[in-house]
Amino acid sequence: MPLPHTGPSAARLLAVLRRELPEGALGIGPEATAPYAADRSGSRPDGEPLAVVHATRAEHVQTALRHAHELRVPVVPRGAGTGLSGGANAGTGSVVVDLSRMNRILELSPEEQTAVVEPGVITAELDRAAGEFALRYAPDPASAAISTVGGNIATNAGGLRCAKYGVTRDAVLGLDAVLADGTLIRTGRRTVKGVTGYDLTALLTGSEGTLGVITAATVRLRPVPESTATVAAYFDTFAEGAEAVSALTAAHVEPAMAELLDGPVLAAVDAAQGTDLRSRGGALLLLQCDGRAAEAEAEAAVRLLRKHAASVETTTDPVEADRLLTARRLVLPSLERLGRVLIEDIAVPRAQLAPAVREIAAIAERHDVRIFTFAHAADGNLHPILVLDPDSPDVPEAAWQAASDIFATALRLGGTLTGEHGVGTLKRRWLAEELGAEQHALQRRVKAAFDPHHVLNPGKAL
């Protein structure tokens, strides 16, 4: 296949990668590269990438980065492409390093409750493997069935169990990562505790592929809870559900999970999945308590929720609980059936959840855009989803104005632009408002120390 018309540096890079990578590891041409141009965010890059490197070993990543660094060709790391902020979008002239084929669980230690995995391991597969030893991988993004552990680490993904178990960073003990010049480093530890040197593991986690490319991770596992109790509470309005969650927090009730879905989201799930959730109320709160005291904690939650909810149901039946949680996990696919989605991801202090919900509704009305909202409510993380015309090539100005107002609301309430999806490309224009000039400049200096020629995922995160 002839080299794409790209320029001398790109042509030289493709020639050396052809020579040094194994057969089948390098993809070029539109058919090979088009599937790797965009992630799941709904945003589109300019053009398509130059090539895709299908890495199966860390050495392949090192080879790609070493030569790209020398020739100043941008590199975009990618896992399953399930990211929601444009962080894996790869435009003209870039080389994608696809890590999805590095998908082995290298070690699983029941005694230490740890695992060592390659970045392409599917999140749910790690959880299932741990389950054979009565353990689990606690981070639980809604995309667990399709997202990779490496992608979760790159974005510091959250998920349904964050309220009790924390985000991905809380489960990562150490990393193998390739720096921009091809150097392989190992950060962190295998012990439960360790404070030697700067915490580069935490810095790389959530860096969105701009500081290094993860090739292995040592992660913490946790025991499977002895029991689990699930509560489904229906409310007349989404704001009333948000107020109820804030009341739970104030009462020191700590669920493992508290997922809040508004009426339009429920209707979309019903239409896509054949459920009847919307007929039960204007909002649904799925609450889950786990551990030895699960039923007692659920009972305490139910007593409080009955003061706010139209109806409350409880179950300890895992089949019924799974049915409800499956509906929650299918929210985004259900919304994608309605149009092109622009997915936002703000977080506010938990006491400010209800004011944020009310303001999002006002923003939708003010700009005449459709916004469907759900939340990891127990940690104040809201997902207002703008559903746009799928036939429009560009995001309309009204949608950008609505997004800007949503971000301004989050910051005004003491919150953040992104709770778990990352900055990617979609939120860079608002980043300085949250960080401030001094911290923004410092973060750019950190980036330069790791990647002096800015070849790693340029135009993302910062």
Side-chain angles (χ1 to χ4, degrees):
M1 182 183 293
L3 296 179
H5 181 69
T6 51
S9 292
R12 288 171 59 194
L13 177 63
L14 291 179
V16 72
L17 292 180
R18 274 178 163 170
R19 184 171 65 247
E20 296 192 15
L21 291 173
E23 185 177 354
L26 182 66
I28 60 175
E31 288 188 7
T33 62
Y36 298 87
D39 62 14
R40 202 180 181 188
S41 64
S43 63
R44 300 285 186 270
D46 294 327
E48 294 176 0
L50 170 73
V52 180
V53 173
H54 298 285
T56 56
R57 300 168 55 186
E59 290 82 357
H60 301 159
V61 180
Q62 290 182 272
T63 297
L65 266 62
R66 181 172 67 253
H67 293 298
H69 180 263
E70 291 171 355
L71 295 168
R72 310 296 192 264
V73 175
V75 174
V76 179
R78 180 185 174 98
T82 60
L84 298 171
S85 66
N89 284 0
T92 303
S94 61
V95 171
V96 173
V97 174
D98 170 26
L99 301 157
S100 63
R101 298 181 187 180
M102 295 181 65
N103 57 6
R104 296 177 298 164
I105 298 175
L106 302 174
E107 179 184 331
L108 200 157
S109 171
E111 297 81 12
E112 294 295 332
Q113 298 182 11
T114 60
V116 181
V117 301
E118 291 184 324
V121 170
I122 297 297
T123 312
E125 290 297 327
L126 173 57
D127 196 39
R128 273 192 285 272
E132 295 180 12
F133 302 94
L135 298 170
R136 72 180 182 187
Y137 180 58
D140 185 35
S143 61
I146 55 174
S147 65
T148 61
V149 173
N152 294 168
I153 293 171
T155 58
N156 191 25
L160 279 63
R161 295 194 288 246
C162 286
K164 185 173 183 178
Y165 296 102
V167 294
T168 297
R169 181 178 284 120
D170 299 299
V172 179
L173 295 173
L175 296 170
D176 290 2
V178 178
L179 301 181
D181 64 359
T183 301
L184 179 65
I185 64 169
R186 178 163 292 168
T187 73
R189 62 201 190 278
R190 297 173 67 92
T191 56
V192 174
K193 296 166 67 176
V195 293
T196 304
Y198 296 124
D199 191 351
L200 298 183
T201 303
L203 181 60
L204 287 166
T205 302
S207 63
E208 301 185 48
T210 63
L211 302 181
V213 179
I214 297 161
T215 56
T218 301
V219 298
R220 185 197 312 269
L221 305 175
R222 293 178 180 269
V224 172
E226 292 184 16
S227 62
T228 300
T230 303
V231 178
Y234 292 88
F235 299 85
D236 291 333
T237 69
F238 193 49
E240 288 174 332
E243 290 169 350
V245 174
S246 296
L248 289 172
T249 301
H252 300 172
V253 175
E254 186 183 43
M257 178 190 306
E259 297 294 300
L260 185 61
L261 290 68
D262 74 3
V265 167
L266 297 179
V269 172
D270 287 345
Q273 313 303 331
T275 51
D276 63 347
L277 301 173
R278 182 64 179 88
S279 66
R280 311 289 298 278
L284 168 62
L285 173 65
L286 291 177
L287 193 86
Q288 203 163 69
C289 299
D290 64 19
R292 294 180 180 178
E295 291 189 39
E297 290 176 353
E299 288 173 3
V302 166
R303 286 195 297 271
L304 194 151
L305 289 173
R306 281 183 173 143
K307 300 176 183 178
H308 301 267
S311 66
V312 182
E313 302 169 2
T314 63
T315 183
T316 56
D317 178 2
V319 175
E320 175 61 16
D322 186 63
R323 184 186 70 82
L324 289 168
L325 293 180
T326 296
R328 162 59 187 90
R329 294 183 190 280
L330 291 174
V331 165
L332 186 53
S334 299
L335 293 176
E336 288 172 331
R337 290 164 54 104
L338 301 180
R340 177 182 173 188
V341 297
L342 187 64
I343 301 161
E344 303 306 347
D345 165 43
I346 62 170
V348 298
R350 290 174 293 182
Q352 298 297 326
L353 189 65
V357 164
R358 293 189 180 94
E359 184 57 31
I360 290 169
I363 289 168
E365 184 174 352
R366 183 160 65 245
H367 295 287
D368 193 24
V369 296
R370 292 192 296 170
I371 300 181
F372 300 71
T373 306
F374 57 97
H376 306 307
D379 51 18
N381 189 185
L382 287 149
H383 295 310
I385 312 298
L386 284 72
V387 178
L388 312 176
D389 181 354
D391 298 324
S392 175
D394 301 313
V395 176
E397 185 59 28
W400 285 124
Q401 289 295 327
S404 183
D405 286 357
I406 289 170
F407 298 142
T409 295
L411 296 180
R412 177 174 53 80
L413 295 175
T416 180
L417 298 173
T418 174
E420 58 183 9
H421 293 167
V423 172
T425 58
L426 291 180
K427 298 182 181 178
R428 289 184 70 231
R429 66 174 75 182
W430 296 280
L431 187 68
E433 295 180 37
E434 179 172 339
L435 295 181
E438 293 80 8
Q439 186 188 167
H440 198 188
L442 176 60
Q443 294 203 15
R444 289 179 179 276
R445 294 199 296 273
V446 171
K447 161 71 171 173
F450 277 77
D451 179 18
H453 299 310
H454 296 273
V455 299
L456 282 178
N457 224 6
K460 316 288 178 57
L462 291 179

